[in-house]
Amino acid sequence: MAKVSLENVTKRFDSTVAVDDVSIDIADGEVMGIVGPSGCGKTTALRLVAGFETATDGTIRYDDEDVTPVPPENRNVGLVFQSYALFNNMSVLGNVTFGPKMHGVGKAERRERARELLELLDIEELADRDPQTLSGGQQQRVGLARALAIEPRILLLDEPMTGLDAKLKQTLRQELGQLLDDLGVTTLYVTHDQEQAMSMCDRIAVMNDGHLEQIGTPAEIYEEPANEFVAGFIGTANLLDATVTDGRISFGFGDVDAPDGLRSSGDVTVLVRPDDIRVGDGEGDAAVEVTNLFYQGEHIQATGTLADGQELTLQLDRSLTNVETGDTLSVGFDPETLHVIRSTK
Amino acid sequence: MAADQVSMGTRATGAVRTAVGSVVSPTSERQREIRRIVALCLPFSVLLVFSGVFPLTEMFRISFSESRLVTEGFTLEYYRTMVNDPYYRNIAFNTLWFAAATTVASISIAVPVAHALEKYALPAKSVILTILSFPNSLPGIVAAFMIIILFGNTGVFTNLLAFLSGQSRIDVAISTGVLGLFFAYLYSMIPRALLLLRGTYSEINTDAEEAARVLGATPLQTFRYVTLPQIKPGLIGAFILVFRTGLAIFGTVLILKGLLVWTLQIDRELAQGFNIAQASAMATIWFVFVFGFTVFALRYTSAEVSI
């Protein structure tokens, strides 16, 4: 295991800048997630760490060793692919013993190591199977066993759960999270699924258009997003235009007390999460005319329009089945749940 | 018994009528699909019967004829000659080893080229591809001429070699020898192998190759353990295609005459010996061998693919 550092790393492909001056430190044993939309540069960042791409500028270190020019086969990195990428000309056991074989581990030892990992991942009965006959979940477990078999300094997970069904994804997420905790292996987890990242990672780096937008714990990212992009990408966000004057936040539809310690003033953008908005029929801070309702099982998501024309997304208790589009709901804001994320001036 | 035969005949006629009726006036989507297939394949089917099946059948009949020039009687004499006469056995041996050797050489050269073309971003790639595919449309006679220009008595390499070694140009010229013919065959065979191998390479799972690299495999080990098993069906396909090409080459060998092979001997039987029956028997053997080889090899290939 090792700590990993990306120091001012830039990667250009001709005129395209895929990764732009990104710096990330991953502590020994930490699970770091990189999230962002398609094309944001997260996979390129992972490929730079793996050694498949060489940084145009900047340095990548494992502990204090500069590995920037080192080819992938000499980095001792475990990589789990979105496409599983199993060797279909080998059995499951052949796949798992392949890495140790390339590292010169003796036959008996590598087979024993592989058996232990297959047992750990609860797939020991698949040892002699052809990978093509396995389900997606089983293939992903084999891919993980294969990556761990070389006792990697760092484990890289590239969208490992994409393509699996929702139920399996949930099970695997729990198992994988537990496994990473138990093994204590330094992990870089790349995904576009912010929920997976939030539940599995110690810290998350949010990337957009090659830039690193914010890095922090899941709670920090969710509660205190650095900008509109992060606020919008992580969870559902209401971003409302407002003005701060004398400890009050003035929206177009009314005034609300500002959170304690707010130092901004003037025109701002305020983030408020749907689950932080009180919804009721009585007195509130504003009235919302419901325009759409989406039943989502555990709750109902409603969108509506405030008096000043701004849109607001609400999370309704699923017992509120009598709410219909066109109804007016009163909503209340708790000052401590309002987060001023940037001044508009 | 007679009643059964009448009944069977009636049923068969009925089945044919139904089949024709479904093509002429289809009533389901499947029948309409069959009609489209029939319409699409009809021109080729007609051509196949009149230009392929009919002459092959006629050739087959002549190969058993007691007369050398026309179809008459029945004899196995020409087949017996090919089996018993060392002259023909030697030609068969020459043909097979030469086609096999040039096939192996062509594929050995084509694999790294296909690898480089498909794996790496090369400058002026389209120009390189055009140059590499050009020999596909090169007539065998032109390939032979190019070999003469390079390795003939006054060829470029011959002059250079004679100058460097101090030997006479006649002694170092190889264009009409086995080696000259070998190079000429490669002209025709490498582009064919390349064409097939490039197609195979484009379907390779590159993630698996990257997985091998990250697990500690060098590029050579990655090729051996991951890439090679994936291109195996393509290699077998290329072997079939190129080996058949090697067996069929005629124009080149007609000019260079470096080795007496099957196609050249068929020409000699026809042009010099007027022995149409012997030529037919040789052509029949050639056809049966190539057909059987292809069927066998394709079966092996599909088995590999399905594993």
Side-chain angles (χ1 to χ4, degrees), chain B residues 13-238:
Chain B
T13 310
V16 170
R17 269 200 197 127
T18 309
V20 172
S22 70
V23 170
V24 175
S25 310
T27 54
S28 66
E29 187 49 34
R30 177 62 188 149
Q31 288 178 354
R32 280 189 284 276
E33 194 178 291
I34 290 170
R35 184 167 72 168
R36 284 195 288 273
I37 293 168
V38 169
L40 289 167
C41 297
L42 195 62
F44 177 73
S45 303
V46 172
L47 191 70
L48 184 70
V49 169
F50 287 99
S51 307
V53 177
F54 176 70
L56 272 175
T57 312
E58 199 55 26
M59 183 186 78
F60 185 67
R61 279 180 55 204
I62 294 171
S63 71
F64 294 103
S65 171
E66 287 174 0
S67 164
R68 291 167 58 175
L69 300 171
V70 291
T71 310
E72 193 176 85
F74 179 85
T75 180
L76 292 172
E77 182 195 337
Y78 305 106
Y79 289 95
R80 246 185 250 121
T81 304
M82 284 188 286
V83 173
N84 296 330
D85 191 336
Y87 176 77
Y88 288 97
R89 287 208 305 265
N90 193 40
I91 294 170
F93 178 71
N94 282 345
T95 308
L96 290 174
W97 83 255
F98 198 67
T102 46
T103 298
V104 170
S106 303
I107 291 174
S108 303
I109 293 167
V111 167
V113 177
H115 192 92
L117 284 170
E118 295 302 316
K119 290 278 165 201
Y120 306 107
L122 301 177
K125 193 170 180 174
S126 59
V127 176
I128 296 171
L129 288 175
T130 307
I131 292 168
L132 288 172
S133 66
F134 180 68
N136 270 331
S137 50
L138 199 68
I141 289 174
V142 178
F145 182 59
M146 288 164 75
I147 289 296
I148 290 170
I149 288 173
L150 284 173
F151 304 117
N153 290 345
T154 56
V156 178
F157 278 94
T158 306
N159 283 335
L160 183 67
L161 207 59
F163 173 74
L164 292 173
S165 66
Q167 291 179 279
S168 83
R169 287 182 303 190
I170 304 291
D171 289 340
V172 294
I174 58 163
S175 66
T176 53
V178 174
L179 201 56
L181 192 64
F182 191 89
F183 286 127
Y185 267 48
L186 296 189
Y187 264 115
S188 308
M189 294 159 87
I190 291 173
R192 284 175 172 79
L194 201 54
L195 196 71
L196 222 120
L197 287 168
R198 280 190 56 225
T200 305
Y201 258 98
S202 64
E203 290 171 13
I204 279 182
N205 179 356
T206 51
D207 280 354
E209 291 181 314
E210 290 192 340
R213 291 287 305 281
V214 90
L215 288 167
T218 62
L220 196 63
Q221 286 172 321
T222 302
F223 178 78
R224 181 183 163 197
Y225 292 112
V226 181
T227 312
L228 195 58
Q230 289 191 71
I231 64 166
K232 198 170 163 185
L235 282 175
I236 294 169

Side-chain angles (χ1 to χ4, degrees), chain A residues 5-324:
Chain A
S5 306
L6 284 82
E7 297 169 3
N8 305 108
V9 172
T10 296
K11 178 63 188 176
R12 287 190 200 92
F13 296 103
D14 298 324
S15 59
T16 308
V17 183
V19 173
D20 191 3
D21 196 26
V22 167
S23 295
I24 300 173
D25 285 316
I26 311 172
D28 195 354
E30 185 180 27
V31 180
M32 171 67 77
I34 299 184
V35 297
S38 296
C40 72
K42 58 186 186 296
T43 297
T44 305
L46 176 135
R47 291 176 64 79
L48 285 162
V49 175
F52 293 124
E53 308 289 352
T54 305
T56 314
D57 290 310
T59 308
I60 296 170
R61 293 183 197 281
Y62 292 176
D63 290 326
D64 293 325
E65 181 192 349
D66 180 359
V67 295
T68 316
V70 176
E73 61 266 29
N74 296 335
R75 292 197 181 195
N76 197 28
V77 165
L79 175 54
V80 179
F81 290 79
Q82 178 183 339
S83 65
Y84 319 129
L86 299 180
F87 309 133
N88 291 330
N89 55 311
M90 300 175 198
S91 67
V92 165
L93 190 67
N95 269 269
V96 182
T97 55
F98 182 83
K101 184 180 174 181
M102 294 299 108
H103 283 77
V105 177
K107 192 174 180 181
E109 189 186 335
R110 65 181 185 246
R111 287 176 78 91
E112 190 189 332
R113 197 187 290 181
R115 295 272 181 201
E116 280 172 10
L117 280 165
L118 293 176
E119 200 178 317
L120 181 72
L121 289 158
D122 204 21
I123 48 170
E124 66 270 32
E125 74 283 1
L126 305 178
D128 298 321
R129 291 270 295 273
D130 175 350
Q132 288 176 104
T133 64
L134 307 180
S135 68
Q138 288 171 328
Q139 288 193 56
Q140 204 51 281
R141 281 182 166 88
V142 175
L144 186 60
R146 184 179 66 176
L148 292 171
I150 59 168
E151 294 171 352
R153 296 171 80 181
I154 175 168
L155 180 65
L156 306 176
L157 305 170
D158 185 11
E159 307 260 13
M161 294 183 207
T162 305
L164 303 179
D165 64 67
K167 182 74 182 163
L168 186 59
K169 219 180 264 187
Q170 195 178 4
T171 312
L172 224 101
R173 187 198 299 174
Q174 288 167 357
E175 288 179 8
L176 185 57
Q178 187 61 51
L179 186 73
L180 296 177
D181 272 354
D182 292 347
L183 296 173
V185 60
T186 310
T187 304
L188 182 61
Y189 186 103
V190 166
T191 179
H192 68 277
D193 186 333
Q194 33 103 0
E195 265 185 50
Q196 273 176 32
M198 300 270 280
S199 62
M200 291 183 57
C201 301
D202 298 322
R203 285 192 301 151
I204 296 172
V206 184
M207 286 187 71
N208 181 35
D209 202 18
H211 299 280
L212 182 62
E213 299 284 351
Q214 189 177 0
I215 190 163
T217 63
E220 284 168 354
I221 298 278
Y222 187 79
E223 304 290 347
E224 294 168 32
N227 53 40
E228 276 188 53
F229 174 80
V230 177
F233 189 77
I234 303 289
T236 308
N238 291 298
L239 296 166
L240 304 172
D241 294 333
T243 307
V244 178
T245 327
D246 300 330
R248 297 282 291 171
I249 301 176
S250 301
F251 296 99
F253 51 82
D255 292 357
V256 178
D257 286 336
D260 290 340
L262 178 66
R263 279 180 289 180
S264 301
S265 63
D267 292 338
V268 296
T269 297
V270 175
L271 161 72
V272 57
R273 300 285 182 188
D275 48 323
D276 286 331
I277 301 172
R278 295 190 313 273
V279 181
D281 294 325
E283 282 287 305
D285 297 308
V288 178
E289 186 184 337
V290 177
T291 52
N292 282 300
L293 288 162
F294 306 98
Y295 182 75
Q296 297 190 325
E298 290 172 358
H299 59 262
I300 299 166
Q301 185 174 301
T303 55
T305 312
L306 291 156
D308 64 349
Q310 295 197 77
E311 280 218 340
L312 195 70
T313 301
L314 307 169
Q315 187 175 304
L316 307 182
D317 191 280
R318 65 178 171 175
S319 63
L320 294 172
T321 50
N322 56 339
V323 176
E324 292 179 357

